[in-house]
Amino acid sequence: MGFKVAIANDHGGFALKRWLIENYQDRTVEWVDLGTESEESVDYPDFAHKLADYLKDHPDHYGIAICGTGIGISMALNRHNHIRAAVCTNSTMARLTRIDNDANVLCFGARVIGEQVVRDCLSVFLTTDFETGGRHERRVNKINTKEG
Ligand code: RB5
């Protein structure tokens, strides 16, 4: 089975994004790179919204988002109702955010994580299924029920 993965980043995440695309060895991944394409300063919400818009049109894709900490870009992503973005710093978090939260975007902080950890997180994230039909599905369904 192949995985389609759209990736977006700000300037702080550019080097890690480039490393990940070049070094992730799993040939089943098809990358869609939404930028930014240099270390020139940009605003992370612009790339978060670009990724969210792309995923709205391509619900069969996962998303990866990278900024300096992973925090700002995840905040902007999670303003979209179809996005469940999770900042992960280890593979246990990456596994559980799929099982428990049905996360569809994995966020990294390039200034606070190592490359090998990122690769492990991605492998686990892509190959772990959401646990449907029980308490996790009930809870995820409640995430978007609060207005205002
Ligand atoms: C950019 O300097 C930095 O603020 C951004 O990459 C991110 O860490 C924000 O949350």
Side-chain angles (χ1 to χ4, degrees):
M1 186 177 72
F3 301 101
K4 295 176 181 173
V5 182
I7 187 164
N9 55 279
D10 74 355
H11 52 287
F14 170 66
L16 181 59
K17 182 269 297 286
R18 176 171 274 182
W19 181 88
L20 189 57
I21 291 176
E22 285 175 4
N23 289 277
Y24 192 75
Q25 295 300 314
D26 187 336
R27 295 198 184 117
T28 64
V29 172
E30 188 182 311
W31 292 100
V32 177
D33 186 352
L34 301 175
T36 185
E37 280 310 317
S38 79
E39 291 184 341
E40 188 178 328
S41 185
V42 293
D43 296 336
Y44 60 81
D46 294 339
F47 289 87
H49 299 318
K50 187 174 180 182
L51 177 58
D53 290 346
Y54 186 88
L55 293 176
K56 188 154 205 174
D57 292 338
H58 301 84
D60 59 330
H61 286 54
Y62 287 110
I64 304 290
I66 312 175
C67 67
T69 59
I71 296 171
I73 206 162
S74 68
M75 287 180 170
L77 278 158
N78 279 318
R79 299 306 300 259
H80 299 260
N81 282 347
H82 64 290
I83 298 292
R84 289 173 303 284
V87 187
C88 293
T89 57
N90 61 61
S91 57
T92 302
M93 294 172 76
R95 181 169 57 83
L96 291 177
T97 200
R98 286 290 307 130
I99 293 171
D100 291 10
N101 316 126
D102 197 19
N104 56 355
V105 182
L106 176 59
C107 302
F108 296 118
R111 295 174 184 150
V112 298
I113 199 167
E115 292 167 345
Q116 304 303 326
V117 177
V118 165
R119 193 167 62 185
D120 289 348
C121 286
L122 179 58
S123 296
V124 167
F125 186 84
L126 292 177
T127 55
T128 303
D129 290 330
F130 177 47
E131 200 172 279
T132 55
R135 66 193 188 285
H136 297 311
E137 187 166 3
R138 182 182 71 243
R139 291 164 186 163
V140 167
N141 287 338
K142 285 186 178 182
I143 289 175
N144 289 338
T145 56
K146 176 81 170 67
E147 296 292 332

